Amino acid sequence: MYQLHVENMSCGHCVGAVTKAVQAVDAGAKVEIDLATKSVRIDSATPLAPLKSAIADAGYPVTSAG
């Protein structure tokens, strides 16, 4: 389980784009997004680096990860 802080998310389209980016790397990943806190929780066995890269490539910078 990864907890990320992701900038530039403000609407339902953003949620879909981030979810799609993560699931392009791991189709079985479970993604939970809270727009108010810009928080993204990802339940995936995939290493964090490719997930962060996919989100950033979609236009949403990951500013912290834990």
Side-chain angles (χ1 to χ4, degrees):
M1 177 77 66
Y2 303 113
Q3 181 76 32
L4 311 176
H5 184 81
V6 180
E7 293 298 320
N8 299 345
M9 296 189 305
S10 61
C11 65
H13 171 77
C14 300
V15 170
V18 170
T19 301
K20 185 176 177 181
V22 169
Q23 291 179 338
V25 175
D26 176 2
K30 183 178 178 192
V31 182
E32 296 176 19
I33 298 175
D34 182 342
L35 286 176
T37 61
K38 300 187 185 306
S39 170
V40 178
R41 290 182 54 158
I42 303 169
D43 187 0
S44 172
T46 300
L48 181 57
L51 298 172
K52 284 175 58 178
S53 292
I55 294 169
D57 289 348
Y60 302 93
V62 177
T63 57
S64 68

